[in-house]
Amino acid sequence: MQNLKTGLVLEGGAMRGLFTAGVIDVLMEHGVAFDGMIGVSAGAAFGCNYKSNQPGRVVRYLTKYVSDPRYGGLRCWLRTGDLFNAQFCYHEIPDKLDPFDAETFRQSPMAFYVVCTDVRTGRPVYKKCDVMDETGVEWVRASASMPLAARVVEVEGYKLLDGGLADSIPLRCLENQGYGRNVVILTQPEGFVKKKNRMLPAVRAALRQYPKVAETLARRHTVYNETRAYIAMRQREGAVYAVYPDAPLEIGHYERDPERLRAVYQRGRAAGAQHLEAICAFLERPAAERI
């Protein structure tokens, strides 16, 4: 078979991303390597740990700090406009409390992309992050900044929000760059159909100065469902290996119960173990010994 670049695509989904964290931890522990990866929202915030080779870090810091008042909450939202405390989540934790390995991230040959939504155009922005410095962190934060729950993030001349608004599952982005064999990790089960967002009127009012992003949100469910159909087609063609939860992940966007977070993470680990051998065969790369 032709030697194609291999990619990893990580859907978002807020705390459903613990499922993704479980899957990718198993892949990391078995030395499964990719040429590039792209993450959206929680897929970016959690997925960057793949490039820094830190299995277990996501579930460790979330279960330890998600109930901490410093992590965020209604008081933080009323005071700053951000439900999650940006300083604590994106600086205090990765810099001091549970250090992110920025040097390993920098040295890793795997390309890492995040997806954000440009609120002025309503279109996706794909950013390649070679280093996780302050600018890189801001791109990841922007990718995970959901409307109503976060302020618009300004970085490198852009005004950005959650990448999932414009491109929830950015498989085509990697394909267009020559990644021909891609593993896609989804946080909704096979057969899931997204419905129109009930919060659209509130988002439209909150972002009235950015009408294009409201238009993007209004058609998001249609674009999402078309993308899921495209993934299924590419899977039948042998170009994609998709990993889905076996049933809906019963967890809220802002879940603060550590046990519920661990339960979703363990479901991801179980899926990772179940699919490990098939993923390695798909990538034509042997799994290393468990570390």
Side-chain angles (χ1 to χ4, degrees):
M1 185 179 293
Q2 183 183 2
N3 185 25
L4 301 172
K5 286 200 298 183
T6 60
L8 177 64
V9 182
L10 305 181
E11 182 181 13
M15 292 306 182
R16 293 199 310 272
L18 267 296
F19 174 84
T20 300
V23 175
I24 64 176
D25 278 359
V26 170
L27 299 183
M28 276 190 276
E29 290 164 1
H30 287 83
V32 179
F34 295 87
D35 297 311
M37 67 173 293
I38 188 166
V40 181
S41 194
F46 299 165
C48 61
N49 293 279
Y50 206 120
K51 186 172 167 66
S52 67
N53 192 29
Q54 292 180 276
R57 181 173 176 270
V58 171
V59 69
R60 184 174 63 241
Y61 76 69
L62 273 179
T63 54
K64 185 172 183 178
Y65 295 113
V66 74
S67 300
D68 191 313
R70 294 172 295 174
Y71 199 87
L74 181 59
R75 184 176 298 176
C76 180
W77 182 74
L78 291 173
R79 187 177 69 251
T80 68
D82 291 321
L83 189 63
F84 299 107
N85 183 337
Q87 177 61 33
F88 186 73
C89 296
Y90 291 96
H91 296 284
E92 188 78 8
I93 290 175
D95 292 347
K96 299 176 182 178
L97 300 177
D98 197 325
F100 179 78
D101 191 344
E103 182 59 22
T104 295
F105 182 96
R106 184 186 68 81
Q107 292 183 2
S108 168
M110 180 174 63
F112 177 73
Y113 299 86
V114 302
V115 187
C116 301
T117 300
D118 186 325
V119 296
R120 291 177 290 197
T121 67
R123 296 181 61 81
V125 179
Y126 305 101
K127 174 67 174 180
K128 185 173 183 282
C129 296
D130 296 317
V131 295
M132 198 50 65
D133 56 7
E134 188 169 340
T135 300
V137 168
E138 285 298 279
W139 277 98
V140 171
R141 182 168 78 91
S143 182
S145 291
M146 295 178 286
L148 302 182
R151 294 170 294 170
V152 170
V153 177
E154 298 189 32
V155 56
E156 295 191 306
Y158 289 96
K159 292 188 175 184
L160 305 167
L161 280 175
D162 193 324
L165 303 178
D167 192 352
S168 297
I169 317 170
L171 170 62
R172 288 182 176 93
C173 177
L174 282 192
E175 289 185 331
N176 290 339
Q177 297 178 74
Y179 291 84
R181 194 178 296 129
N182 295 294
V183 174
V184 181
I185 301 177
L186 299 141
T187 58
Q188 295 285 12
E190 195 166 8
F192 172 79
V193 176
K194 184 177 284 294
K195 298 179 181 178
K196 192 169 185 176
N197 194 317
R198 292 176 296 177
M199 297 299 293
L200 181 58
V203 174
R204 184 174 278 133
L207 297 174
R208 55 188 175 274
Q209 68 271 46
Y210 304 117
K212 291 293 185 182
V213 78
E215 292 174 12
T216 296
L217 185 60
R219 60 177 181 271
R220 183 190 180 199
H221 63 295
T222 300
V223 174
Y224 180 91
N225 294 332
E226 288 174 347
T227 302
R228 291 281 299 235
Y230 177 75
I231 290 168
M233 180 190 75
R234 294 296 282 156
Q235 190 167 16
R236 292 191 298 270
E237 294 171 348
V240 160
Y241 190 100
V243 178
Y244 306 83
D246 56 6
L249 300 172
E250 302 295 341
I251 191 166
H253 275 56
Y254 312 116
E255 180 62 60
R256 286 177 172 262
D257 182 347
E259 291 308 311
R260 298 194 71 178
L261 296 176
R262 287 191 189 96
V264 172
Y265 172 76
Q266 289 300 329
R267 285 181 62 181
R269 288 196 64 91
Q274 176 187 345
H275 290 277
L276 176 64
E277 186 176 344
I279 288 174
C280 291
F282 171 76
L283 298 173
E284 297 187 321
R285 294 178 179 176
E289 290 297 318
R290 184 183 180 91
I291 60 173

